[in-house]
């Protein structure tokens, strides 16, 4: 028997102005996307923006449904759009911002497990890390250098 220790290093920025300039801009696009989220049931709006290696910026937001499980998170809306429209492009960076309409959200909101799995698929496919930046509406921004750092022991095609 032996113990297996898994460590993750994340980088925390105090606010959006501390980010590299291109990421500040990408987060601004994610904020615009959040403002257009369709979230009448949870009142929790999420926006995501992706930077592709061909220079395209893709946005996504959560799309809810009266049949709750039929809705989709912002991150998957964005990454599936990228996969559908730019299948040969690599995703370099993803910026995520989330906020409740009930109270201000100042803590960084990480992507849910299902979104991590979906993003991991593209990271493995393109064989190049995707930088993930996530925040609330304001305040600190957390950076993960790779999706894999947010999803240790991930399941991928190598097991099939
Ligand atoms: N949501 C996202 O868009 N991304 C996540 O990573 C977590 C949750 C959405 C789904 C739902 O519309 C609302 O937030 C509340 O769960």
């Amino acid at each position: 028997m032996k113990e297996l220790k898994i460590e993750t290093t994340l980088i925390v920025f105090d606010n959006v102005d501390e980010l590299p300039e291109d990421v500040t801009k990408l987060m601004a696009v994610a904020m615009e996307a959040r403002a257009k989220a369709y979230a009448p049931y949870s009142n929790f709006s999420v926006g995501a923006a992706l930077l592709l290696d061909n220079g395209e910026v893709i946005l996504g937001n959560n799309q809810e449904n009266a049949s709750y499980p039929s809705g989709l998170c912002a991150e998957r809306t964005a990454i599936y759009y990228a996969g559908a429209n730019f299948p040969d492009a690599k995703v370099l960076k993803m910026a995520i911002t989330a906020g409740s309409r009930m109270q201000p959200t100042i803590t960084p909101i990480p992507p849910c497990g299902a979104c991590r799995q979906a993003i991991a698929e593209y990271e493995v496919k393109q064989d190049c890390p995707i930088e993930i930046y996530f925040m609330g509406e304001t305040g600190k921004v957390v950076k993960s250098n790779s999706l894999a750092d947010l999803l240790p022991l991930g399941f991928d095609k190598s097991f099939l």
Side-chain angles (χ1 to χ4, degrees), residues 5 7 18 53 78 147:
K5 189 169 268 177
E7 271 186 341
E18 256 194 14
D53 68 347
L147 187 281

Side-chain angles (χ1 to χ4, degrees), residues 38-39 42 44-46 61-64 72-75 110-112 115:
Y38 178 59
S42 71
F44 190 79
S45 297
V46 185
N61 48 33
N62 49 332
Q63 296 294 318
E64 296 188 348
L72 195 66
C73 291
E75 297 89 329
C112 77
C115 286

